[in-house]
Amino acid sequence: MLKKRNKIKQFFLLIILILTALSGCGEFKDIDKDVFVSMIGIDLSDDPEKPYKVTLKLYVPTSSFKQSPKPEYTYLTKNGKTLTEAIRILETHSDKEIDFGHSKLIVIGEELLNANKSKEIMDFLLRRPDIQMISWLAIGRPSAEEIIKMVPQSETAAYPALFNYFDHNGTDSPYIVTTYLFDFRRKMLETGIDPILPLIEINKEEEHFEVNKSYVLAHDKKPHELSSLDTLIFNMMTRNLDVADLVINEDNQHFIAKIDNINSKYKVKVDAQHQVKLNIDIELFGYISESKDTISNQQLPQYSKMVEAETREKFSDFFIKMLNVGYDPIGFGLAYKSKTLHNKRMSPNEWNEAYKNSKVNIKVMAGIKSTGSIQ
Amino acid sequence: MSSEEILLWIKEQFKNTTELTQKTLDYDNKHALLFYVKSLIDQESLQKLIIKPFFEMANENQFKAYLIALPQFQKVESKEQAVSEVTNGNTLIVIQHDLYLIDLQLATNNQVSTTSVETTIHGSNIALSENLMTNINLIRTYYHQASLSIEYFTKGEVNQQKIAIIYDKELVNTKALEIIKQKLQQLDQQVISASTELNNYLNDKRFSLFPQMLMTERPDRIVYNIAGGKIALILDGNAQALIAPAVFFDFMTTMEDNYHTLFISLFVRILRYAGLFVSLLLPGLYVGITSFAPEVFRTELALTVAGSRIGVPFSSFVEVLFMLFFMELLLEASIRLPKAVSATATTVGGLILGSAVTEAALASNIMVIIVSAVAISTFVIPVNELAFTIRIVRLILLLITSVFGLAGLTLGLYGLIMYLVYLDSFGEPYLRLFNYQKAKKSSEGQA
Amino acid sequence: MSRYYYYLVLINMIANVIASVPAILLHFHDDGAVSAMIVSVVAGSTLVFFFTRFFTHFPGMTLPELLQKTTAKWFYNPFILVLAITWFIAGMITLITYTFLLIRYLTPEMPIIQISLTILLAVILGCLMKTDRVFYTIEIILLLTVPLIILIFIKAYTNENLRWEFVKEAALYFNQFPNLNAFSACFFLYLGSANLIIFNRFFKNKQNFGVKQITLIVAISIMTLFTTYFIPIGFNGVEGIEKLVYPWITTSDSLRMKFSLIERVLFIFLLFYLGIAFLSILIHWHVSIELLKYVFNFEKFKFKGFKFGVFLPIPFYIGVSLYFVRQLNEYQLFRLSGIFYNILIIFFPMMLILFFFIKRRMKNVKKAEQN
């Protein structure tokens, strides 16, 4: 009995020996020998041989955030034939190991976007296991490098100001589209929905970012820019927005309606001749937040009518634009697919044609409930 | 064997000492011979119970009857028993070749003390005394059942200590009782001085890490456990009892859990288990995350950790070991030191050393926080024996983590759980959910 | 039925969320995966039902014991050996899958042997424990890990980025002919109850297995299958889903815990799922080693009174696993799992026939014992 136990003990001792031997070959690297990437910027370079220009924004760790509340970053930039090559060269430029695990934002330069290289970029971003699938993707104007290298006044250490635009923790503006990497991937691959990316611009004089426009894109197609208003309409259609402002300018009445409750629904109907009908239902509730003229409480129904008319006009403008360029950021094609058996579906090409010729039916119901605190 | 021979033999035993007092009482045709060890007996009782009645009795026969009627009376069964009883504080009385033993033991250690190790706010604060009889008295006053049985063993070849096994005949776990009795019989130690020693002697594994018996000083805990079918062992001259079989969850409960309201005790329990996991895993987690997978933490935290490690000359593993080492030293030191000095030691060790170490950049700020968090959470574990074990297990997990990384830590924890389940405490699985639900009609058997 | 029985069934189901099963299913997303899932619910539950009912007739008896009483030696020994190898492979597939996962996502710099050794060393001695202790270990580790895993599933279901349109699109492929590979992958989820061939020795009292119990298992299995297949689709779309090597890892990386200490759900998922993988290997290899004990008489290997026989399989288990960890690549592992699952769908229905035979023979044996 006792002897058997001793043998077990010896066995354990042997294991401990193996463990200690193994600890020699284990990869043991301390956190302060790593440098964390905060953002990745990808641009089109001037050199046609090496088309990719990668810019990395790296956090510089400080011993105490209390002593140095100002953010500190270093930047690495390199051209490369491929993205991996550029990053491999960058790694030789840094004395520490570059860790992509903390990178939260990927900015793609506007020029690169137009150069139609999204497939290669996506492949690179998805293939690397250390790049988060929950990183945000955005377009940078004029270039990703400039976006990445700008540090606005309001920035605090360890959390770049740019992140606040996307994480719905700071500003929650109705003009910002948030696209995660996995969301971009699925929309890119799926026929019947097209990815949309926010556009980050720089306001040079005031040194801050502006994020209120966006881009819709697809394979083998020229990307289409959405204006602020279009971006707002896109968000009203897809996100559960809490607030939106609508400027009404009609029949000598000029006021701004603050919408605090938006319900939007859409239905895709296809008849036997492959004629697509897009039925869009919008319900808006809100109050008047600003007006040039005096506003009367009794006339609220009229104001609602005006809002309805104005909204219908703007929405139909948006959809006509989308149908003309053949982009489908909302996902009507997907809605169609989710309701039709796979063997009865139109082919992607058929659908694209049908979509371009579809009839848009917009129904708006607006309810202006108050004129605000004053009449 | 006649009484003369016994007497001679006894005198022979004490021949070379002056300890044994021999007193002859002789009055009115009444003769009695008293043998006792003066330092062990209560002289006042001797005078009141034996000497005074002797002179008042009419004849020897009446005195004999009186002696037998005394509650302190014991029969003489053998010469060895007589000697050992005399050394235990009995007085041997010889009347007309008849031997009588009267227990007149003077015990100075029968004071019931207040709890010092397992202190609670609620509930009784009485601890066991160092006297076996007082302890049994205490237990009996808490447990009024005829089925409460007490068996005595005398162990320790040299010092012949008395061990009492206390259990409830109706409820006891018979399998465990048999194992304990069998192991006690096999016990062949020269000296047994503390009940906790039995913990090692009764456990035949040489390299055991986790305590197999629960040590306690609280009578209410003993009673609670006896009622749960367990067995208590008390050694004479010891203020601590052992309870067996003990399972892992026993070491994580305090008596107070039963005294609080449901939610309070639930909260306290959650706190305690959280403390257990923190003290086990935190050092390993620090090494695993800083050295193997820095992307696990959220960015802000990772940067704080990376920043605080700037300038620290050691790698994270050495850093943790270094700080843990000083923490363990501090813990050890504060146990040994007199109370008056220990406060100073803590201040010097904890405050001055801690801040100086970070000032000198020998360890990061975060590390100091981790080490103190670990120290505090170790104190949350209610039974001391387990806390000691946890301190060792923590080091093992730290070692595994520094070889195998975070996955190693996770698997190490699972392995630890598996080891605990594999362990036995006197026939009971050491770790098992619903250990207390002794459903007789359980739907499965043991394999 | 005792709660321990459900642990066996449950672990086999959820352990495979991370292994090749979803990858195989999603690979055939437009080629009969959905219909295969529906068919497998019926076939799988039928198998579970008959398997469990068989063992409830013989409380406390393992399959080798039953075979010893009813079959000839030339059949008995090779058959048990085949069973032992089957269970070993099942455990090894989990081991290799998890090793690949860890090296890809948690510690890319660590040598692959070292990673697999971590899991091996933690598991291997546990396989030698007594059967009841294996159950107790399962219970405690499940208690630690399952709440968090369920929380992650709930977070996935309530996430606003989960687009049900993708799920509906994928579900509309139900009218295809079931795919055999997808079917066998789903069928594997139901094989947890097959561990009873050894674990039945724990259930000494007569167990009750009727409509209520099988309904519960069917409900759990439908939930698991649905989660395994449709959640990755809801997050990653239908087109191109077959390109994901580890669909569930990508899915868990699409979740964010905004205010938690660990922001990326991926790591929580990975580390807690490690517990489930650990248990899965523990169960399979425990069965495997116990089966080997019936074939080889390990007791006779002694050295100075120390019976080292029970430890004999361990070097083989470690050696073979390490060899395959080094040799296989991701694609080969995927193929191997697929082939393994395909073999099992023939193997287990055959065993039901064997059970029928045993049951009849056992009646005779009992009669003989009574006389």
Side-chain angles (χ1 to χ4, degrees):
Chain A
M1 211 46 188
L2 211 70
K3 258 192 183 150
K4 177 182 168 185
R5 292 234 161 71
N6 273 335
K7 292 290 162 182
I8 298 173
K9 296 293 125 57
Q10 280 172 15
F11 184 69
F12 274 114
L13 270 175
L14 196 76
I15 286 176
I16 289 168
L17 265 174
I18 297 171
L19 289 188
T20 29
L22 270 173
S23 64
C25 57
E27 197 76 12
F28 199 89
K29 191 180 286 150
D30 280 316
I31 197 168
D32 46 328
K33 302 288 179 289
D34 276 350
V35 57
F36 300 115
V37 178
S38 144
M39 297 175 201
I40 305 168
I42 306 169
D43 276 312
L44 193 67
S45 77
D46 310 326
D47 184 359
E49 279 289 295
K50 295 177 170 178
Y52 295 106
K53 184 162 140 198
V54 176
T55 313
L56 299 179
K57 184 176 196 165
L58 308 171
Y59 291 110
V60 175
T62 45
S63 55
S64 165
F65 289 121
K66 273 189 186 152
Q67 284 159 20
S68 59
K70 279 264 106 195
E72 276 186 62
Y73 301 101
T74 52
Y75 303 95
L76 294 172
T77 307
K78 193 71 207 167
N79 292 351
K81 207 176 193 171
T82 61
L83 288 164
T84 317
E85 188 196 276
I87 284 177
R88 206 180 52 235
I89 299 170
L90 281 182
E91 272 168 350
T92 62
H93 290 197
S94 169
D95 62 322
K96 293 169 179 171
E97 162 124 4
I98 298 177
D99 189 329
F100 285 87
H102 282 289
S103 135
K104 278 210 185 73
L105 178 67
I106 297 148
V107 186
I108 297 167
E110 202 179 5
E111 278 178 50
L112 182 66
L113 187 74
N114 290 316
N116 215 338
K117 290 244 191 312
S118 51
K119 203 170 179 184
E120 290 87 340
I121 300 169
M122 201 176 77
D123 185 77
F124 165 78
L125 293 175
L126 293 172
R127 207 171 284 281
R128 273 193 84 109
D130 52 347
I131 289 181
Q132 305 185 9
M133 290 298 275
I134 36 171
S135 351
W136 297 294
L137 222 58
I139 311 286
R141 173 182 284 169
S143 74
E145 188 180 356
E146 274 180 71
I147 299 285
I148 277 183
K149 288 198 172 165
M150 193 174 94
V151 179
Q153 287 291 314
S154 60
E155 188 152 322
T156 51
Y159 205 74
L162 208 43
F163 292 176
N164 284 327
Y165 290 95
F166 300 113
D167 67 359
H168 299 295
N169 246 351
T171 172
D172 204 1
S173 147
Y175 293 96
I176 297 173
V177 216
T178 309
T179 302
Y180 294 108
L181 183 57
F182 72 90
D183 190 35
F184 179 72
R185 177 198 164 274
R186 66 181 181 188
K187 285 180 176 169
M188 202 78 190
L189 292 175
E190 193 79 31
T191 55
I193 188 162
D194 291 318
I196 184 167
L197 291 178
L199 175 66
I200 308 171
E201 291 170 289
I202 291 178
N203 189 323
K204 281 268 189 254
E205 296 86 56
E206 289 161 53
E207 288 229 320
H208 63 77
F209 299 110
E210 278 174 9
V211 188
N212 56 23
K213 299 189 183 106
S214 52
Y215 259 111
V216 214
L217 58 151
H219 279 314
D220 320 315
K221 242 187 207 177
K222 202 178 159 325
H224 176 75
E225 185 182 338
L226 294 184
S227 65
S228 313
L229 183 65
D230 287 346
T231 309
L232 174 69
I233 290 173
F234 170 79
N235 273 338
M236 283 168 88
M237 287 299 297
T238 53
R239 258 170 65 193
N240 291 324
L241 282 186
D242 289 333
V243 278
D245 291 316
L246 285 177
V247 185
I248 311 295
N249 206 347
E250 217 169 276
D251 305 341
N252 308 327
Q253 279 282 2
H254 186 99
F255 63 89
I256 293 173
K258 191 157 189 91
I259 308 296
D260 51 17
N261 190 354
I262 304 162
N263 293 317
S264 59
K265 273 185 221 146
Y266 56 85
K267 265 207 179 112
V268 183
K269 283 204 171 135
V270 185
D271 60 19
Q273 281 77 43
H274 286 184
Q275 174 64 47
V276 181
K277 259 193 227 162
L278 308 176
N279 292 335
I280 291 145
D281 257 316
I282 297 150
E283 284 177 18
L284 304 167
F285 299 98
Y287 57 94
I288 293 169
S289 64
E290 192 186 328
S291 171
K292 276 195 178 155
D293 315 297
T294 43
I295 281 206
S296 160
N297 237 343
Q298 290 157 354
Q299 279 183 304
L300 277 177
Q302 273 98 313
Y303 298 139
S304 299
K305 284 266 152 34
M306 285 180 206
V307 173
E308 280 174 17
E310 185 78 23
T311 316
R312 191 175 302 123
E313 197 188 317
K314 280 173 181 162
F315 270 67
S316 60
D317 279 355
F318 171 75
F319 285 113
I320 286 162
K321 235 185 277 171
M322 286 297 110
L323 292 185
N324 283 340
V325 291
Y327 271 116
D328 181 9
I330 314 266
F332 293 115
L334 184 63
Y336 162 73
K337 275 161 109 186
S338 75
K339 293 224 164 58
T340 323
L341 278 178
H342 70 99
N343 43 3
K344 301 215 169 100
R345 284 176 200 157
M346 294 182 232
S347 74
N349 285 335
E350 279 172 353
W351 165 259
N352 281 346
E353 277 312 302
Y355 172 68
K356 278 184 187 169
N357 299 319
S358 54
K359 282 185 191 150
V360 185
N361 234 335
I362 301 170
K363 244 202 258 165
V364 185
M365 211 287 282
I368 300 298
K369 301 279 178 197
S370 152
T371 57
S373 306
I374 52 164
Q375 286 211 343
Chain B
M1 196 183 276
S2 72
S3 57
E4 275 82 16
E5 280 174 60
I6 294 179
L7 272 182
L8 271 175
W9 188 79
I10 290 173
K11 278 187 195 160
E12 186 74 16
Q13 295 295 308
F14 287 96
K15 194 173 68 188
N16 295 326
T17 63
T18 53
E19 281 287 287
L20 193 73
T21 314
Q22 183 179 351
K23 196 180 259 321
T24 320
L25 303 180
D26 201 356
Y27 177 71
D28 248 9
N29 294 329
K30 293 177 277 184
H31 298 282
L33 204 55
L34 271 58
F35 293 96
Y36 55 87
V37 179
K38 201 174 171 188
S39 56
L40 275 177
I41 62 151
D42 185 0
Q43 301 192 13
E44 210 173 302
S45 318
L46 179 70
Q47 197 265 333
K48 210 161 68 193
L49 292 175
I50 294 165
I51 300 175
K52 196 157 165 254
F54 177 81
F55 288 100
E56 288 165 358
M57 296 288 166
N59 52 45
E60 276 180 354
N61 284 341
Q62 195 192 354
F63 185 62
K64 272 190 204 167
Y66 166 80
L67 282 181
I68 291 167
L70 272 179
Q72 288 92 338
F73 169 75
Q74 253 181 301
K75 245 179 159 175
V76 177
E77 265 139 18
S78 68
K79 54 184 182 183
E80 289 87 3
Q81 183 229 1
V83 168
S84 95
E85 290 301 337
V86 168
T87 56
N88 260 340
N90 277 261
T91 305
L92 183 71
I93 304 172
V94 189
I95 307 170
Q96 300 171 344
H97 313 298
D98 287 336
L99 299 179
Y100 302 87
L101 277 171
I102 307 291
D103 183 7
L104 293 176
Q105 192 189 17
L106 174 73
T108 48
N109 60 355
N110 59 358
Q111 296 302 307
V112 171
S113 46
T114 50
T115 50
S116 59
V117 184
E118 296 162 80
T119 45
T120 54
I121 302 171
H122 296 241
S124 112
N125 271 326
I126 290 174
L128 292 180
S129 78
E130 305 220 324
N131 184 286
L132 184 61
M133 286 307 134
T134 319
N135 289 342
I136 289 171
N137 167 286
L138 259 180
I139 290 165
R140 282 228 186 250
T141 50
Y142 280 104
Y143 197 91
H144 306 278
Q145 275 295 342
S147 51
L148 183 74
S149 332
I150 300 165
E151 283 180 48
Y152 296 99
F153 286 79
T154 308
K155 283 290 153 188
E157 263 171 44
V158 176
N159 69 339
Q160 296 285 314
Q161 242 349 2
K162 217 178 193 174
I163 300 169
I165 302 183
I166 308 166
Y167 57 89
D168 189 318
K169 224 185 294 175
E170 310 266 295
L171 303 168
V172 70
N173 178 341
T174 41
K175 200 166 127 204
L177 184 65
E178 262 167 45
I179 299 176
I180 288 176
K181 280 188 189 167
Q182 187 199 339
K183 282 190 176 165
L184 266 179
Q185 247 127 38
Q186 286 166 0
L187 195 67
D188 55 346
Q189 293 296 323
Q190 294 292 305
V191 178
I192 295 174
S193 55
S195 48
T196 40
E197 259 180 280
L198 286 175
N199 198 347
N200 292 335
Y201 298 150
L202 292 190
N203 169 6
D204 50 16
K205 283 185 190 143
R206 246 176 81 219
F207 299 93
S208 64
L209 189 55
F210 282 85
Q212 312 276 296
M213 294 167 113
L214 179 71
M215 184 190 87
T216 184
E217 54 168 4
R218 295 180 65 88
D220 53 352
R221 194 169 197 141
I222 298 173
V223 167
Y224 177 80
N225 279 299
I226 288 176
K230 300 194 176 182
I231 301 142
L233 282 98
I234 305 180
L235 189 74
D236 196 12
N238 261 274
Q240 262 126 12
L242 284 173
I243 293 167
V247 297
F248 182 78
F249 294 116
D250 288 336
F251 294 93
M252 291 299 289
T253 41
T254 70
M255 284 316 290
E256 250 179 330
D257 290 347
N258 303 335
Y259 305 152
H260 283 305
T261 56
L262 175 72
F263 286 105
I264 297 173
S265 80
L266 196 68
F267 171 72
V268 177
R269 269 174 215 229
I270 292 172
L271 210 62
R272 209 175 290 144
Y273 281 97
L276 175 74
F277 280 110
V278 165
S279 69
L280 266 180
L281 300 178
L282 206 56
L285 216 54
Y286 178 79
V287 172
I289 285 180
T290 54
S291 299
F292 287 92
E295 59 272 9
V296 170
F297 272 154
R298 61 184 301 129
T299 314
E300 293 94 319
L301 196 60
L303 285 174
T304 314
V305 174
S308 76
R309 273 195 50 83
I310 287 179
V312 176
F314 313 125
S315 77
S316 64
F317 170 60
V318 180
E319 186 190 4
V320 175
L321 265 190
F322 176 79
M323 287 307 285
L324 276 183
F325 173 66
F326 279 107
M327 186 198 87
E328 297 291 351
L329 280 187
L330 196 67
L331 276 182
E332 251 336 273
S334 48
I335 296 172
R336 308 276 163 256
L337 281 177
K339 274 213 174 77
V341 199
S342 71
T344 332
T346 345
T347 322
V348 172
L351 295 176
I352 301 180
L353 191 76
S355 60
V357 156
T358 46
E359 281 292 302
L362 283 177
S364 64
N365 293 326
I366 309 267
M367 189 64 248
V368 176
I369 296 170
I370 286 176
V371 166
S372 1
V374 164
I376 294 166
S377 35
T378 314
F379 299 141
V380 177
I381 297 164
V383 178
N384 233 313
E385 289 163 284
L386 187 68
F388 279 104
T389 310
I390 292 300
R391 280 157 67 183
I392 296 170
V393 174
R394 180 161 69 210
L395 285 179
I396 298 173
L397 281 181
L398 180 65
L399 212 71
I400 294 173
T401 315
S402 41
V403 180
F404 292 117
L406 267 188
L409 180 68
T410 322
L411 286 168
L413 179 68
Y414 297 148
L416 173 70
I417 290 170
M418 204 165 70
Y419 173 69
L420 285 175
V421 173
Y422 157 79
L423 282 182
D424 273 317
S425 169
F426 299 94
E428 280 288 299
Y430 196 60
L431 179 64
R432 177 171 106 186
L433 280 193
F434 312 116
N435 235 334
Y436 290 114
Q437 289 183 355
K438 280 182 95 182
K440 287 267 154 66
K441 277 179 75 184
S442 83
S443 58
E444 48 304 288
Q446 285 193 351
Chain C
M1 210 64 201
S2 153
R3 63 177 193 277
Y4 292 103
Y5 168 74
Y6 294 103
Y7 296 155
L8 291 179
V9 178
L10 197 69
I11 284 171
N12 208 51
M13 282 185 189
I14 51 178
N16 284 293
V17 166
I18 212 142
S20 332
V21 171
I24 292 174
L25 280 179
L26 293 170
H27 192 83
F28 298 106
H29 71 91
D30 54 358
D31 193 16
V34 182
S35 44
M37 280 160 66
I38 297 166
V39 175
S40 79
V41 172
V42 181
S45 336
T46 317
L47 183 94
V48 170
F49 184 76
F50 284 113
F51 230 99
T52 317
R53 277 302 277 269
F54 171 75
F55 280 106
T56 53
H57 283 296
F58 307 106
M61 301 266 274
T62 61
L63 181 65
E65 281 162 9
L66 289 169
L67 285 173
Q68 255 168 351
K69 284 189 177 170
T70 52
T71 53
K73 202 150 188 166
W74 62 264
F75 174 76
Y76 164 81
N77 271 338
F79 183 68
I80 299 290
L81 195 64
V82 168
L83 283 182
I85 292 170
T86 312
W87 256 264
F88 169 71
I89 294 174
M92 195 180 73
I93 285 177
T94 317
L95 173 83
I96 300 175
T97 311
Y98 224 88
T99 309
F100 284 174
L101 272 182
L102 288 179
I103 200 165
R104 198 72 64 246
Y105 290 96
L106 195 69
T107 41
E109 294 103 354
M110 205 181 264
I112 193 157
I113 292 291
Q114 194 177 345
I115 294 179
S116 48
L117 215 56
T118 321
I119 307 177
L120 276 172
L121 289 180
V123 163
I124 197 79
L125 286 176
C127 299
L128 298 176
M129 290 194 302
K130 283 190 226 143
T131 304
D132 58 335
R133 300 300 161 93
V134 175
F135 265 135
Y136 303 150
T137 313
I138 292 170
E139 190 168 32
I140 289 166
I141 295 181
L142 273 186
L143 190 78
L144 289 178
T145 52
V146 162
L148 228 117
I149 288 170
I150 288 176
L151 181 82
I152 291 173
F153 285 159
I154 290 172
K155 265 196 91 83
Y157 272 111
T158 54
N159 195 294
E160 56 174 3
N161 286 312
L162 174 71
R163 271 191 99 137
W164 288 97
E165 284 164 335
F166 287 120
V167 176
K168 284 183 204 157
E169 186 194 334
L172 284 176
Y173 282 95
F174 70 87
N175 57 354
Q176 287 168 320
F177 191 76
N179 183 292
L180 183 72
N181 291 313
F183 170 75
S184 57
C186 295
F187 191 72
F188 185 67
L189 294 190
Y190 288 90
L191 295 183
S193 60
N195 290 315
L196 276 181
I197 61 169
I198 285 298
F199 279 93
N200 196 43
R201 69 160 63 129
F202 180 74
F203 303 107
K204 288 222 165 98
N205 302 13
K206 176 93 179 144
Q207 303 285 318
N208 187 14
F209 193 79
V211 179
K212 225 162 70 186
Q213 283 80 4
I214 190 77
T215 318
L216 181 69
I217 289 177
V218 169
I220 294 172
S221 69
I222 290 176
M223 263 156 51
T224 321
L225 272 176
F226 188 87
T227 312
T228 313
Y229 183 70
F230 287 111
I231 293 297
I233 282 182
F235 275 96
N236 298 301
V238 182
E239 315 257 323
I241 187 87
E242 71 278 357
K243 299 230 168 64
L244 297 179
V245 182
Y246 300 109
W248 257 98
I249 295 294
T250 316
T251 305
S252 68
D253 199 20
S254 309
L255 295 167
R256 160 171 300 196
M257 297 247 234
K258 233 185 210 173
F259 305 108
S260 149
L261 192 71
I262 298 172
E263 205 174 12
R264 290 174 73 181
V265 174
L266 167 72
F267 293 111
I268 305 176
F269 192 71
L270 211 57
L271 289 177
F272 277 80
Y273 237 95
L274 191 56
I276 304 288
F278 173 85
L279 292 182
S280 178
I281 303 171
L282 180 67
I283 291 173
H284 285 141
W285 283 9
H286 176 74
V287 171
S288 179
I289 285 185
E290 291 296 316
L291 287 172
L292 282 184
K293 280 187 192 166
Y294 285 98
V295 184
F296 304 107
N297 186 10
F298 288 131
E299 298 283 309
K300 68 183 174 202
F301 295 100
K302 273 186 210 166
F303 178 72
K304 289 183 190 165
F306 167 64
K307 287 180 194 141
F308 66 95
V310 280
F311 295 105
L312 272 182
I314 289 182
F316 285 104
Y317 277 49
I318 295 181
V320 174
S321 308
L322 288 182
Y323 174 78
F324 278 109
V325 162
R326 284 182 70 117
Q327 288 301 314
L328 291 180
N329 60 28
E330 267 166 4
Y331 177 73
Q332 285 165 333
L333 175 68
F334 181 79
R335 288 295 305 147
L336 179 78
S337 325
I339 293 166
F340 180 65
Y341 300 153
N342 284 344
I343 293 172
L344 292 188
I345 55 166
I346 306 165
F347 192 63
F348 277 90
M350 300 272 274
M351 259 170 92
L352 283 184
I353 300 170
L354 178 71
F355 286 175
F356 182 70
F357 175 76
I358 292 175
K359 216 165 148 186
R360 275 184 47 190
R361 284 266 182 117
M362 276 305 281
K363 270 183 200 152
N364 297 336
V365 171
K366 262 184 200 153
K367 262 185 206 155
E369 276 171 3
Q370 271 167 8
N371 295 335

